[in-house]
Amino acid sequence: MEDAYMTINHVLVKLINEIWELEEKAIITDEFKDLTNNDMHVIEAIGLGEGKNMSSIARQLNITVGSLTTAMNSLVNKKYVERHRSEEDRRVVFVKLTSKGIKAYHHHEDYHRQMTQTILDKLDKKELPVLMKTLDALSDFFAGYSEKKEP
């Protein structure tokens, strides 16, 4: 059991680091060289559609609205995002991807699709439930750990 623990621990730590580094190399191409990995994740959180308010995006990313505002200012200046105030409540700010932002969103989404499809292509139908159970456990750990850290 100790060997399994050591192997799983090593693989998880290595994977987390590699995913972050490789994702940045894969998604920050010449076309999107003015973006960071964090920018791409903000773009992903905004998503497609008519826009979202800043509070819901900050909650989704588990960051403060102040931190999101800093990132959003940069994305607005780079023309990936546009913002507008709610007509009903002028204090509420909505953000929406521009056509340039939508292009970046699809570029990032394609990287995730390729990564996921590569895994699915290597599994048979019996292995998929085991992977799903494993990923659920990992997700539960991260969610529980994040909740413990909040004030």
Side-chain angles (χ1 to χ4, degrees):
M1 195 63 157
E2 183 67 24
D3 286 345
Y5 172 87
M6 295 296 285
T7 300
I8 291 169
N9 181 62
H10 175 74
V11 169
L12 284 175
V13 170
K14 188 174 180 205
L15 265 177
I16 290 167
N17 290 328
E18 284 180 346
I19 287 171
W20 188 255
E21 289 173 23
L22 291 174
E23 182 178 47
E24 187 165 14
K25 288 177 186 167
I27 62 178
I28 310 303
T29 60
D30 281 347
E31 184 176 6
F32 302 109
K33 64 180 174 267
D34 59 340
L35 293 174
T36 66
N37 227 4
N38 286 336
D39 288 338
M40 278 293 199
H41 289 111
V42 171
I43 287 170
E44 178 182 41
I46 295 168
L48 304 175
E50 291 307 305
K52 290 184 177 176
N53 69 46
M54 294 280 287
S55 299
S56 68
I57 296 167
R59 238 185 340 271
Q60 183 179 340
L61 293 170
N62 204 21
I63 61 174
T64 66
V65 174
S67 294
L68 180 60
T69 299
T70 302
M72 210 56 76
N73 288 341
S74 172
L75 288 170
V76 167
N77 289 337
K78 295 174 190 174
K79 310 261 189 270
Y80 286 95
V81 174
E82 60 189 19
R83 55 180 136 195
H84 62 277
R85 295 204 176 271
S86 165
E87 293 300 320
E88 293 81 39
D89 183 346
R90 302 293 292 163
R91 296 169 297 178
V92 177
V93 176
F94 287 98
V95 293
K96 178 181 173 184
L97 297 178
T98 62
S99 58
K100 187 176 177 183
I102 291 169
K103 198 169 183 183
Y105 176 92
H106 285 301
H107 176 66
H108 187 218
E109 180 183 53
D110 187 55
Y111 170 77
H112 283 221
R113 185 193 54 72
Q114 289 177 43
M115 178 178 60
T116 303
Q117 194 60 53
T118 298
I119 294 166
L120 290 173
D121 289 346
K122 293 194 184 284
L123 297 175
D124 62 40
K125 287 187 174 161
K126 294 180 298 196
E127 294 169 317
L128 195 54
V130 175
L131 177 61
M132 297 295 293
K133 185 176 179 181
T134 303
L135 293 175
D136 281 343
L138 194 56
S139 181
D140 289 347
F141 167 78
F142 286 132
Y145 194 81
S146 173
E147 289 168 8
K148 282 191 259 183
K149 292 290 182 187
E150 290 182 12

